[in-house]
Amino acid sequence: MRIDYQSKSKRVIRQGSDMRFRFALAQSISWHWGIAAIVTLASIAALAVTANDAEARRKRVTRVAEAVAARDAGEPIMAIVSIKTQQVTVYDADGWILRAPVSTGTSRRETPAGVFAILEKKKHHRSNLYGDARMPNMQRLTWNGIAMHGGPLPGYAASHGCIRLPYRFANKLFDKTRLGMRVIVSPKDTVPVELSHSALLVPNMKAIAAAPARAETLKREAEEAAKAAKETKKAATKSAREARAAKRKLRKAKRAKKRAERQLAYATKVLAKAKSEKSKARAEEKRAKAAAKAAEAAIQLDTVMADTTSKLDAAASAADAAKEAARKKGEAKKAATEAALALEPVSIYISRATQKLYVRRNTNKPWSDGGVVYDATIEAPVTIRDPDRPIGTHIFTAVARDGDDLRWNAVTIDEGDKAADALDRIIIPQDLIDRVAPTALPRSSIVVSDEPLSRETNYRTEFVAVLNNYPKGGFKTRRPSPRVPVARGYPQYDNVFGFGYSNQPYSNQPYRETRPRKKRRRRNNYQLQPSWW
């Protein structure tokens, strides 16, 4: 068979040319497709930027200029943040003193509207949620991470839930505020309005005048009671130790008496079996010695038993005295605590949702992780007329003394009754009024709301109440604080501020702001295999 090598080589060359053509065609198509993809992505990015700019322009509000009241300002009493107009206004007893623009939480990270107080202040703070971001002049509002701090202000809501302030304004405000100052975040513009109502607390000036001396006296008595309790406990411990030693000695004496009695019985038995005169004399001598030892052991037992009885009685008396001293110590400490708390403004929260009244007062005792501990021993049911009808959210604040009375104002941040009408519907138990009203001071407050207390209310907060009919994405993107009963404290301060034991877990580790973990997406491990055209 004849092979045509020439035609075969031509076919091979043609096949090679076809292969090179296909490869070049693939490169050309992929290059053209790459250009088209780049153009498409650039178009999408441009549309996205345009949409973001349009959204930003839509959200942008008229920026409020920083302003300072043209008068001598007093100490700040409250700050009102308006989400609608993106501004904060700070008030003293006579009206506004500072005003500045802010930037609250952006979409899906909205700053929750509600009632807060400053819990902690740090001049230089960095976020452990958002890449160690600087948050100068931080003033914490919740322990899950909502705070006021210096930050950039683009002219619209752009934060992750915090309230950004102008840097210089944040520095100025930081130096003026104190822990516990009221911060109200309102979904709309609102201003304090002076109000007078019979349901508001009326102080007793004589009680207020006598409160410091009474607190000092009771504090001294509590210290003396604690010292006495310590001494009696020490004496009771010593008596108990001596009683235990006497009981051990008594057991030893009883064993010695029984041993002496056995020896006497054995000597008597040996004497009875003796035959010779010599053995009888020897047995008689041994029996006499055993009888003497038995008699001595009996006398020793009687002496030890009397001593033990005396020491046991003394130990019982010392234990009773220690219990009584401990009881007096507890009562004195409770009275001293109540007297010390009477020197602090009182805050009352009334919830239509729970039909309860809660009381908070600052103990001025620092907590290791930051902030201070609040007394939360008072919680009582309250009567609200027409409990199914919304009452709104109203904050009543005693801003200053007015003769023998207090001057109050009211701030309303939610739909419902007017402030005065809301107070008309509430009946506060008289015994509670008698307990807290006589020593009510400026900065005392009463909050009336449809809402229950937020879970963020705990032993290191005054009140945290959030309006649930407004967005609160800033809470949802943060891990909530550990759940703590509203009217309980922690064992570290048990019997110091009247707290009871809590079965809730707690940690001595430093608190860290955290947010929920995102579910990790499962990636597709399949890879496209190279193909030929």
Side-chain angles (χ1 to χ4, degrees), residues 34 250 359:
L250 177 63
V359 178

Side-chain angles (χ1 to χ4, degrees), residues 6 20 42 45 67 90 104 230 247 255 335 349 365 381 394 405 516:
Q6 186 176 2
R20 286 194 299 272
V90 183
T104 58
K230 183 177 180 180
K247 290 171 73 174
R255 288 195 298 268
Y349 188 89
K365 298 294 182 180
H394 313 276
D405 205 344

Side-chain angles (χ1 to χ4, degrees), residues 392-412:
T393 298
H394 313 276
I395 302 95
F396 305 91
T397 306
V399 295
R401 284 195 175 94
D402 185 13
D404 292 344
D405 205 344
L406 291 172
R407 179 156 54 90
W408 294 78
N409 67 24
V411 177
T412 299

Side-chain angles (χ1 to χ4, degrees), residues 11-222:
R11 286 198 301 273
V12 171
I13 292 172
R14 194 162 45 248
Q15 288 176 358
S17 298
D18 290 344
M19 186 66 69
R20 286 194 299 272
F21 172 74
R22 290 178 183 178
F23 184 74
L25 179 62
Q27 284 184 327
S28 175
I29 292 174
S30 63
W31 183 82
H32 284 293
W33 275 100
I35 294 295
I38 292 171
V39 172
T40 303
L41 290 174
S43 301
I44 293 172
L47 289 174
V49 170
T50 304
N52 289 338
D53 289 343
E55 179 67 14
R57 285 194 297 271
R58 184 182 66 80
K59 295 189 295 183
R60 196 182 300 273
V61 297
T62 302
R63 183 161 179 166
V64 178
E66 292 186 38
V68 180
R71 61 178 177 85
D72 293 335
E75 186 178 4
I77 289 180
M78 74 174 75
I80 301 178
V81 177
S82 171
I83 296 177
K84 180 179 179 181
T85 57
Q86 294 291 289
Q87 69 171 349
V88 60
T89 307
V90 183
Y91 296 86
D92 68 0
D94 298 320
W96 75 274
I97 54 175
L98 296 172
R99 184 174 289 130
V102 300
S103 180
T104 58
T106 187
S107 177
R108 290 183 293 182
R109 296 179 182 271
E110 297 87 358
T111 302
V115 183
F116 307 90
I118 296 176
L119 307 177
E120 181 187 31
K121 297 174 64 175
K122 290 182 70 175
K123 192 73 176 176
H124 305 286
H125 180 70
R126 287 187 176 273
S127 173
N128 51 28
L129 282 178
Y130 304 109
D132 204 36
R134 288 182 63 249
M135 295 180 174
N137 299 294
M138 185 276 294
Q139 303 188 65
R140 186 184 299 279
L141 302 182
T142 67
W143 290 108
N144 69 350
I146 303 296
M148 300 189 297
H149 60 80
L153 272 64
Y156 53 87
S159 79
H160 290 83
C162 287
I163 300 168
R164 295 182 191 168
L165 307 172
Y167 287 106
R168 290 184 180 178
F169 180 86
N171 184 53
K172 183 190 303 182
L173 184 63
F174 186 90
D175 296 333
K176 293 180 178 294
T177 60
R178 65 160 78 173
L179 294 183
M181 190 191 87
R182 174 75 64 221
V183 177
I184 301 169
V185 180
S186 174
K188 58 184 180 181
D189 290 340
T190 185
V191 295
V193 177
E194 286 201 14
L195 181 72
S196 178
H197 196 281
S198 59
L200 299 174
L201 303 179
V202 178
N204 184 322
M205 299 310 295
K206 291 183 179 180
I208 291 176
R214 180 172 180 271
E216 189 63 29
T217 300
L218 291 176
K219 178 182 178 182
R220 186 169 56 253
E221 291 178 357

